[in-house]
Amino acid sequence: MKLSKQHSMYESEHTLFIKALKEKNPGMEAGQAQGRALLWDRPPVSLDEQERQMKSAIKQQAYVYQNKI
């Protein structure tokens, strides 16, 4: 579906808000990239390390709120 020339230039209020926000804070995208790198962009864990983590994990009981008898 092809839009007419009039509608192809349309920008929503949300798009205009994001553009204005980026103009006010030019370093915002770099900060977002740093935050992403901090939490998500990590090197893959080796298979040996994964196995060590699995063996050292404490087993959780089936119903966590029940007291052990």
Side-chain angles (χ1 to χ4, degrees):
M1 182 166 123
K2 197 168 189 179
L3 297 176
S4 67
K5 220 176 215 186
Q6 178 184 3
H7 293 294
S8 65
M9 301 302 289
Y10 172 76
E11 289 185 338
S12 70
E13 291 180 19
H14 298 289
T15 304
L16 295 174
F17 171 75
I18 295 296
K19 283 184 177 182
L21 186 64
K22 287 181 180 182
E23 287 176 8
K24 288 181 187 175
N25 303 317
M28 185 174 68
E29 288 186 26
Q32 287 176 330
Q34 287 176 346
R36 177 190 163 94
L38 181 66
L39 297 175
W40 297 104
D41 297 339
R42 295 183 179 184
V45 179
S46 70
L47 294 176
D48 294 332
E49 180 66 18
Q50 285 180 3
E51 185 178 353
R52 187 193 67 76
Q53 288 176 353
M54 293 294 285
K55 285 181 180 178
S56 66
I58 298 173
K59 302 252 187 281
Q60 185 176 2
Q61 58 185 4
Y63 185 67
V64 295
Y65 299 108
Q66 182 178 3
N67 293 333
K68 292 182 181 180
I69 297 176

